[in-house]
Amino acid sequence: MGQSWQVGRVFGIPLYIDRSWFFVILLFTFLNGSDWQATYPQWGAGVWLIGFVVSLLLFASVLLHELGHSLVARSQGIAVRSITLFLFGGMAAIERESNTPGQAFQVAIAGPLVSFALFLLLQGTAATLPREDLLHELLHHLANINFVLGVFNLLPGLPLDGGQVLKAAVWKLTDNRFQGMRWAARSGQVLGWLAISFGLFVTLLGSGNGLWLALLGWFALQNATLYYRLSQLQEALLTLTAADAMTRDFRVIEGTLSLREFADRYLLLADRQPTAYFVATEGRYRGYLDPHALNHVERSHWEVTPVEELAVPLRAIATVKEADSLAKTVCTLEEQQQRFVTVLTPADAVAGIIDRGDILLALAKRLHWQLGKQDIQRLKQERHYPPELQLLELARTALQFQGSDRQKPVALPTQQG
């Protein structure tokens, strides 16, 4: 989706309209107006106004569909960030996934149930009106749209609601969220390719609707592929450990060394400085030494001041254990806004260090990403990841669910369509 604008709030949930929505409103107004003109030529130019009203009511139905997802999610204590209307309908941005497959099913099925309820309500109301009445025709038409909306969304593939239902079912059967996500994503990819192929075939036969179907298939394919990749990223964040990502790019120095000796030996004469220095005396780690701390000591005192006096205790810096997941490592690194985290052994000795470049490199090896040396070096210097990865958000949700299943899977920040 592209640029969007907030137009209000519904039940406290921010409502946005994407710029693509204006295009589809005009398109649907034309298509609806053309259909009504062919059926009711006696209404003249009024059919275009009717077409516009029907288009607005269609998106009102979409909004109610998304509210179904949102209110059920909120009843489970899940924050709903926004609802956005766009080219292909609507999307509710939900902060995290439900805690259980049963709750995930409730959120997923709520939207189609709202659409079917609207179908019954509108159809029942239309039945009480004379068939030649304009309002009867409008209600009947809108009822059919809601029925199609409900049925279409139940197709078993992500990003559709039916894909979320399939994911919840597989999750329940296998006790593994990852498995459910992969099945639903693969199913969504198959549905996407089928829609693209059939849409192009119908277009070649001369039908204008085929191109729209192919476009819907492309959208479904892109989103299903994204879900699949994110499920792989989730799994990697939980199964990779700090020991898998850490490096030995640090140096241990004797605590009795004077600041002068440290500066001469390690800062001035060394060809390359490691990422971190740690101080140890009598075989025990005393803490981390930041070379910049020397600037706060008078140079006349450098000869008589041992480095251990400037060492920051390990308990006061960002640390993780070797067995901690990469998800916990990401959270520790980002929440404490450090350039790196220190990895400790079970005995609280320094085993290694991890920076953002190390994390991305570990993920790249597991997921077969292509990362250049320049990309890694840049990440080692910066204090943020590429924004499209949303690693901190994924890591936080991972830790919320860690240990709840045998496979320790995690919920994505999800979107219900």
Side-chain angles (χ1 to χ4, degrees):
M1 291 185 288
Q3 185 178 0
S4 57
W5 299 271
Q6 184 174 349
V7 295
R9 287 178 175 269
V10 184
F11 291 96
I13 302 170
L15 174 62
Y16 290 86
I17 290 180
D18 185 78
R19 61 183 178 184
S20 63
W21 180 82
F22 296 98
F23 164 76
V24 79
I25 277 289
L26 292 175
L27 176 63
F28 282 1
T29 297
F30 173 76
L31 294 175
N32 288 320
S34 298
D35 289 342
W36 286 78
Q37 188 177 49
T39 307
Y40 302 99
Q42 68 272 22
W43 291 348
V47 296
W48 303 109
L49 177 60
I50 294 173
F52 179 68
V53 171
V54 170
S55 299
L56 292 179
L57 291 175
L58 164 62
F59 276 94
S61 299
V62 171
L63 176 59
L64 291 174
H65 177 107
E66 297 305 323
L67 275 174
H69 294 306
S70 301
L71 295 180
V72 172
R74 204 157 69 174
S75 72
Q76 298 176 8
I78 303 171
V80 181
R81 294 171 180 168
S82 64
I83 294 176
T84 302
L85 301 180
F86 68 113
L87 179 65
F88 297 107
M91 195 77 76
I94 298 174
E95 186 178 57
R96 62 173 176 83
E97 194 175 10
S98 301
N99 293 332
T100 67
Q103 290 180 331
F105 171 80
Q106 293 170 12
V107 173
I109 202 65
L113 288 180
V114 168
S115 296
F116 290 134
L118 287 172
F119 164 73
L120 294 175
L121 178 63
L122 293 168
Q123 197 74 288
T125 305
T128 65
L129 301 172
R131 295 184 61 86
E132 63 276 7
D133 194 298
L134 172 60
L135 185 56
H136 172 276
E137 293 298 325
L138 282 173
L139 292 176
H140 179 70
H141 183 68
L142 193 59
N144 291 337
I145 287 176
N146 275 277
F147 181 78
V148 172
L149 181 64
V151 172
F152 176 75
N153 270 282
L154 283 177
L155 291 176
L158 291 172
L160 299 174
D161 298 333
Q164 299 287 355
V165 170
L166 175 61
K167 181 180 72 175
V170 175
W171 173 9
K172 178 67 175 179
L173 291 173
T174 64
D175 200 20
N176 188 331
R177 288 184 183 87
F178 293 135
Q179 193 77 346
M181 179 76 77
R182 283 193 288 267
W183 274 65
R186 285 302 191 197
S187 180
Q189 289 175 319
V190 171
L191 289 175
W193 279 117
L194 287 175
I196 291 172
S197 301
F198 185 72
L200 293 177
F201 175 73
V202 170
T203 301
L204 291 176
L205 294 180
S207 172
N209 293 328
L211 195 58
W212 182 255
L213 179 60
L215 194 59
L216 281 172
W218 175 84
F219 173 76
L221 178 62
Q222 295 299 310
N223 278 270
T225 301
L226 177 62
Y227 270 104
Y228 189 81
R229 290 174 178 171
L230 287 177
S231 71
Q232 291 181 309
L233 179 54
Q234 288 179 314
E235 190 169 19
L237 282 170
L238 283 179
T239 56
L240 287 171
T241 65
D244 295 323
M246 72 181 187
T247 68
R248 300 280 300 177
D249 188 26
F250 67 93
R251 186 181 294 274
V252 180
I253 58 177
E254 177 60 41
T256 58
L257 206 66
S258 71
L259 298 185
R260 172 61 63 191
E261 290 175 310
F262 169 70
D264 290 344
R265 190 181 305 176
Y266 295 104
L267 302 184
L268 300 178
L269 300 180
D271 294 332
R272 176 188 173 277
Q273 292 188 31
T275 299
Y277 293 96
F278 294 97
V279 177
T281 58
E282 299 178 354
R284 295 185 59 186
Y285 283 92
R286 302 302 177 184
Y288 162 69
L289 176 63
D290 183 355
H292 293 96
L294 274 67
N295 297 329
H296 303 292
V297 179
E298 289 289 339
R299 287 185 179 256
S300 59
H301 296 165
W302 280 21
E303 299 286 354
V304 295
T305 304
V307 292
E308 66 178 332
E309 287 192 12
L310 299 186
V312 179
L314 295 180
R315 64 178 178 275
I317 65 174
T319 63
V320 293
K321 295 290 188 178
E322 287 179 292
D324 285 340
S325 69
L326 207 57
K328 182 176 181 179
T329 305
V330 169
C331 287
T332 302
L333 184 63
E334 295 306 305
E335 290 169 357
Q336 298 193 32
Q337 282 295 297
Q338 300 298 311
R339 191 165 60 90
F340 65 89
V341 293
T342 302
V343 183
L344 302 179
T345 68
D348 286 336
V350 176
I353 60 170
I354 300 176
D355 60 23
R356 290 168 181 80
D358 299 324
I359 288 172
L360 264 293
L361 188 58
L363 290 172
K365 288 180 179 178
R366 172 63 65 87
L367 302 174
H368 308 292
W369 294 347
Q370 296 298 321
L371 285 179
K373 291 183 178 179
Q374 291 183 343
D375 297 323
I376 298 297
Q377 290 302 319
R378 186 180 70 254
L379 285 166
K380 286 180 176 293
Q381 301 302 321
E382 295 178 350
R383 292 204 171 190
H384 58 81
Y385 301 101
E388 63 272 14
L389 282 181
Q390 298 183 336
L391 276 189
L392 177 58
E393 189 172 47
L394 289 173
R396 282 174 173 167
T397 54
L399 293 178
Q400 290 174 1
F401 288 93
Q402 191 171 30
S404 62
D405 298 327
R406 289 195 302 265
Q407 301 295 330
K408 295 185 178 179
V410 56
L412 276 172
T414 58
Q415 293 181 321
Q416 296 284 345

